[in-house]
Each structure stands twice: as structure tokens, then as C-alpha cells.
Amino acid sequence: MKRSRIGDLPMRVIYRILAVGVALVLAAVAAVVGFVSSGSSDQPGGGKTGQIAAPSAAPPSPGPPSPEPSASVSASASEQASPSESPAETAAPSPSPEGWEPAPDRSAVIAALADPRVPELPRDKRLGRLPGKAYKSKRRIEDDRSGVSLIRFGKPWKVFGASPFSTKQVLPKVKGIAHRAMLVSSPVPILVQRKAKDTALLAARWTLNHHPKGSRIGWVASQPIKDGWLLAYRVKYKIKKKARSSMAAVAVVEAPGAKPAMLFVTIPDTQGRRWRDINTAVSSLRLK
């Protein structure tokens, strides 16, 4: 009768059986570990542990990120990147250092022409030679604020306190006349129009603030000049119920990178022998 007990087997056979069993167990363990490792690395965001700088505060999700964190990051990135990501806005220069731009319509001009003190502009007409002796001078005044330069007259003219203008020259006061002759320059103090002629019209109306109360304009000349427009006019008013007048002119020119510049000169009839200085002044206006 044959025996089947393990103790009856030779020792070498038992060792072989044990070796085969251990090998099978090790192979099974290795297969399980490999499957688990492969599965974790195939998931979105999966990777080696050594590549993660810090653990997430919440368990990682294999799907796409939630909307709230994404929106927050996008808003933050947009705020930081917007200055550099919109070069058209940052690189585009402003109309001017003072932030001006031409008016979109002629409503201001229509209102000015409705003013009984301001008649309709005449057809283009050049300024003729006014009474008086021509004054010559090589000296000039630089108006950095307006971007222009103009003649600096000698005596009897003198440089005076410019405010509210940029530059100012005056003639001596005439006894009994509050209004005095002056030559000034500054950026135009009114709403800039698309046409230099319209801007000059508004500027001329504005100069009535520097003439006696009740003054009215009578046009003498209206002509284009280099980079702008010139208007010359007689300002009529009364002083102690006596009719008086001043000869005046306004020139506006486009100054590069700045609001248009204005030259304004007015001389009362009591100093009519100096009216020729108006010709000299307007012809001396130059862009810097």
C-alpha cells in the first residue's frame, strides 16, 4: 500500500515545491504593485510624488478644475496682464497733454452767432495795412505753454504780469480809459472746434470779456494763416456815453502735441497811431 504523506517525500522535492511557491507569490505581488502604479500615473494631474511641491488642501479631482478657482485665477491674471496685453490703449497718445479734443459739432459756433454782439463772419478777406509806423525788432518772447513764439516789442510796450495768459505785453494806460492796449498769447481759452476758423470765432467772442461792457464786434478781416486762422475786428463800445472803439485781432494756430495757441491783440482808438503793431504782432507768430 502506497503512502501519500508529505513526510515520506524526499527533502529535495519539498525544497523545490517551496521555491516554486515563493516565486509565484512574489510574481503576484509585483503584478499588483505594477497595476496600481500604472493606474495612478494615467489619471489627470497624476505623477511622481517627488514632482509635487506641496500637497493640495483638498483631495485632487481627476476631472477639470472647478469653475470658481478658474474664474478667480483668470480675473487676477487679467488684472495683472491688462496693461501689457492692450498695447493699443497704452501706446496710443492722448490728444494732448491737457486732454483736449475738438468739439463733435458746431453747437458752440451756432450759439456764438446767436449772440447779438457777434455778427456773421464775412467772406475771406485779408488784413490790410493798418495806420501807424511799422515796428521792427529781432527780440522774441517764447511761450512754452502754448508752443509758439512772438515778437517782443520795445518801448512804449513793456512786458507785464501775464495771468491769466501765458505772455503779456501792454502799452501805457491812457488817462480816463480803463481799457488798455495789450498783446497776449496762451492756449485757446474756449472749446476747440474742428475748423480753425470756428475756433477763431469763439476766441474773438471770448475776447469781449477784455473790452468795455456792451462791446460789439465789427469784422475787418478773416483769412487763413499758416496752421490756423486770423480774424481782425473793430470793437465798438461807449465810455461815458461817448462812442469809442478798439482795433483787435485774434490768431489761432495748431501747435503740435498741444492745444491750439491763441494770439490776441487789442489797441484802443486813443492809441490809434500804434494800430500798425497789430500787423506786426500777428505776422510774427511762429510755432516753436
Side-chain angles (χ1 to χ4, degrees), residues 5-246:
R5 291 180 299 179
I6 295 177
D8 296 336
L9 294 175
M11 292 301 296
R12 63 177 179 273
V13 175
I14 294 174
Y15 290 151
R16 288 177 182 176
I17 293 172
L18 291 174
V20 171
V22 171
L24 291 174
V25 171
L26 292 176
V29 171
V32 172
V33 171
F35 175 79
V36 172
S37 299
S38 173
S40 64
S41 63
D42 289 342
Q43 293 179 359
K48 295 182 181 180
T49 306
Q51 294 177 339
I52 300 176
S56 173
S61 171
S66 59
E68 292 184 2
S70 175
S72 175
V73 172
S74 298
S76 175
S78 176
E79 290 175 2
Q80 294 179 1
S82 58
S84 59
E85 289 179 355
S86 53
E89 294 180 3
T90 56
S94 60
S96 81
E98 299 183 20
W100 69 274
E101 60 182 9
D105 55 43
R106 298 184 76 246
S107 58
V109 175
I110 294 172
L113 293 175
D115 187 335
R117 303 173 301 167
V118 182
E120 286 279 351
L121 283 173
R123 292 183 178 181
D124 293 0
K125 179 182 178 182
R126 298 191 66 82
L127 175 62
R129 194 176 290 178
L130 296 173
K133 183 179 179 180
Y135 181 89
K136 295 182 180 180
S137 174
K138 293 183 179 180
R139 296 191 301 168
R140 300 185 67 77
I141 289 181
E142 304 291 324
D143 182 351
D144 295 329
R145 184 178 166 211
S146 305
V148 296
S149 68
L150 62 151
I151 189 171
R152 178 171 180 171
F153 284 119
K155 292 181 179 181
W157 288 90
K158 64 178 181 178
V159 175
F160 202 71
S163 181
F165 306 101
S166 300
T167 72
K168 187 175 184 180
Q169 301 174 66
V170 298
L171 283 174
K173 284 185 176 181
V174 175
K175 188 176 180 180
I177 303 294
H179 169 59
R180 76 187 302 175
M182 63 179 179
L183 166 60
V184 302
S185 67
S186 72
V188 290
I190 44 78
L191 190 64
V192 178
Q193 304 299 300
R194 296 191 179 278
K195 293 182 179 180
K197 186 176 184 178
D198 289 340
T199 302
L201 170 65
L202 296 185
R205 182 195 185 204
W206 178 86
T207 65
L208 291 177
N209 296 324
H210 295 272
H211 289 96
K213 187 177 180 179
S215 295
R216 290 173 174 260
I217 286 176
W219 301 116
V220 173
S222 175
Q223 68 180 78
I225 56 175
K226 186 177 181 181
D227 303 309
W229 201 270
L230 167 67
L231 291 175
Y233 46 101
R234 194 83 171 259
V235 184
K236 299 178 180 180
Y237 46 86
K238 288 185 177 181
I239 296 180
K240 296 179 181 179
K241 298 183 179 181
K242 185 178 181 180
R244 306 303 297 257
S245 68
S246 294

